Amino acid sequence: MEDRHIPPIILSFPLRRFFENPYKILTPFVRRGMTVVDHGCGPGFYTIPLSYLVGKEGIVYAVDSSAKSIKVLESKLKKKGINNVKTFVSRNLNFIPSASIDFLLSKDVLCCTVLHKELAREIERVLKPGGKALVTIRIGKRSDPRSLSAEEFFSLFTNIERKGLSRFHAWVILSGEKK
Ligand SMILES: C[S@@+](CC[C@H](N)C(=O)[O-])C[C@H]1O[C@@H](n2cnc3c(N)ncnc32)[C@H](O)[C@@H]1O
């Protein structure tokens, strides 16, 4: 089954900032110079704040399976003169080396694909020892094979540091395994 692609215009909706502040969500995790991933970045609602937070010594890998979203993101990056973001059209994270990432954000992506186990494994694989990931899902309709219940979502991961559940969302903070 195909990934669910949300039109870039919806994800870039200007009022979104009023009820979802990317800096408030990212600041506890991201420092200058970090190597970070925006998994399922869409048109970049989180990618651009990530690029400012890591600064010019840092790097952001922005990955989405939708070529259309990546194109919209690339034109925003060009307009803003941002050059610490590398964009990838991909359904997986196989191209990222193991234990290389300080922070990974996967915001409402695992609920848009059937690749739940594969992506959960990849997210944990790429984290540095002590690196962090914030992974969220929207709780969806049971009839859609892409959707997950909170219990199914939590059971995908082995290194959960914290987890939570609200009416519409479930989230986990993962910690890269210290060898
Ligand atoms: C609900 S949107 C969230 C976008 C972005 N994280 C945000 O919060 O603005 C989900 C995104 O995940 C992307 N996506 C779905 N399946 C994916 C996969 N297997 N790999 C990478 N991206 C995927 C979709 O194209 C879409 O842009």
Side-chain angles (χ1 to χ4, degrees):
M1 177 180 251
E2 293 215 348
D3 297 335
R4 184 188 291 127
H5 296 305
I6 317 283
I9 195 154
I10 293 181
L11 295 169
S12 305
F13 184 56
L15 288 181
R16 189 175 172 191
R17 256 162 244 291
F18 287 100
F19 45 89
E20 190 176 337
N21 179 340
Y23 288 96
K24 198 171 162 198
I25 293 168
L26 298 171
T27 306
F29 301 103
V30 183
R31 301 279 171 273
R32 291 190 83 75
M34 280 186 166
T35 301
V36 305
V37 176
D38 189 1
H39 174 233
C41 57
F45 185 77
Y46 285 90
T47 316
I48 291 169
L50 279 169
S51 82
Y52 292 141
L53 289 169
V54 300
K56 57 180 188 314
E57 322 86 77
I59 185 145
V60 183
Y61 296 113
V63 186
D64 201 287
S65 55
S66 159
K68 201 167 167 184
S69 288
I70 291 292
K71 212 168 157 197
V72 174
L73 171 61
E74 284 170 344
S75 92
K76 286 187 193 168
L77 296 172
K78 199 169 166 199
K79 223 186 264 174
K80 291 177 185 290
I82 294 173
N83 46 27
N84 61 350
V85 177
K86 287 193 180 169
T87 56
F88 300 88
V89 177
S90 176
R91 283 192 92 197
N92 59 58
L93 300 172
N94 298 351
F95 58 94
I96 300 179
S98 298
S100 64
I101 299 301
D102 295 296
F103 174 68
L104 179 145
L105 176 71
S106 179
K107 177 83 176 50
D108 299 347
V109 182
L110 291 193
C111 48
C112 289
T113 179
V114 291
L115 304 173
H116 305 136
K117 287 194 179 133
E118 297 84 339
L119 287 173
R121 210 178 308 123
E122 286 289 278
I123 287 169
E124 292 194 316
R125 178 187 66 78
V126 302
L127 290 186
K128 281 182 184 173
K132 303 283 177 206
L134 172 61
V135 185
T136 74
I137 57 159
R138 273 198 217 119
I139 312 286
K141 290 194 197 107
R142 297 303 300 139
S143 54
D144 186 333
R146 291 169 292 206
S147 75
L148 287 162
S149 68
E151 294 70 35
E152 287 165 338
F153 173 60
F154 295 146
S155 74
L156 293 172
F157 302 101
T158 51
N159 295 313
I160 296 179
E161 193 176 280
R162 280 166 56 202
K163 63 183 178 184
L165 180 61
S166 63
R167 190 158 166 215
F168 300 112
H169 281 92
W171 57 269
V172 290
I173 296 170
L174 308 173
S175 188
E177 219 172 353
K178 290 204 169 100
K179 302 257 154 62

